[in-house]
Amino acid sequence: TMNLQSLLLALILALAAPALSSGYSTREDARAIQEFKRLQALNHAKIARQLVHQANWASVGSISTNELVEGYPMVNIISIDDSDVNGNSTGRIRFLLTDLDFTGPDWQKNNKVTVLFTDEQTLNCKNAGKDPMEPTCARTVISGQVKKMDKSDASYKAALEAFEKRHPASLKWIITHSFYLCELDISNIFVLDFYGGPHKVSASDYYAIRI
C-alpha cells in the first residue's frame, strides 16, 4: 500500500511539474490519478495470473443437477493447468472433467461456473502468519463458461500434453473414466488482495500479463 501511495505521489508530482509555474492543475492531477488506477488494475491482473499459474487445483462452483440437491450450488475440486508445453503461463485455465463426477453433468445443463484460487493453496498465507480469510491472503474468483475442447483443434494436443505433464495421474483418467479436456471461457475476474473490497480485472488485461 505504501508503494502504491508513493507511486501516486510521484506520478502527481511528475505530471504536474510543468504546470507548477502557472499554478495548480486539476487536469494534470486527474490524469495522474487515472494513470495510477491503470497501474493498479494491471497489478491486480498480475496477481490473478500468478495465483492461477502456481495452483495445481481449483475449487469450482456449478449449479447442481444431482436430484438430491438440484438447483443448489455445488462445489468440487478440479485439477487445473494454464501452461504451455514448456511450462510457461498462458492464463488459459484448462481441466479434465468426467460425467461420473458432479461438475461434468452440471456444466452440460448450465455451463456457467466460477473457480476460486487462493494463495493459501501453496500455504503462502499460513507461512506468513495470515488467516486464509484475511483479504491480505490474496485470492481471485474467476467466472466463465465451460468449453469442451475439440480434439481436432490445433491447440488440443499441446494443451493435453501440458496438462498431463503437470498431472501425470491424468494419463489413466481419460482411458478408464472417459475424462475430456475443457477450457474456461472467462467472462469476469475479481481479485481480493487487500482491505477495501474486490477489484474487477478485465479478461484482456489478464491475458496481456507476462509472468
Side-chain angles (χ1 to χ4, degrees), residues 93-107:
I93 302 170
R94 297 180 176 124
F95 43 94
L96 287 177
L97 293 179
T98 174
D99 295 344
L100 300 175
D101 201 352
F102 295 110
T103 314
D106 289 352
W107 83 266

Side-chain angles (χ1 to χ4, degrees), residues 85 149-151 153-162 164 181:
V85 290
M149 294 189 68
D150 189 338
K151 292 182 179 180
D153 189 279
S155 63
Y156 178 87
K157 185 177 179 181
L160 182 61
E161 182 182 334
E164 291 174 340
L181 189 63

Side-chain angles (χ1 to χ4, degrees), residues 17-70:
L20 289 177
S21 59
S22 57
Y24 174 74
S25 170
T26 55
R27 180 179 297 176
E28 293 298 332
D29 192 8
R31 203 174 110 209
I33 292 172
Q34 184 178 16
E35 177 63 16
F36 172 69
K37 289 181 177 179
R38 174 64 180 161
L39 290 172
Q40 270 192 315
L42 290 175
N43 183 56
H44 293 132
K46 184 177 181 181
I47 289 171
R49 284 289 298 274
Q50 289 172 330
L51 289 173
V52 168
H53 187 59
Q54 73 185 18
N56 284 325
W57 58 273
S59 302
V60 58
S62 57
I63 302 301
S64 182
T65 55
N66 186 292
E67 60 181 8
L68 297 178
V69 286
E70 188 170 0

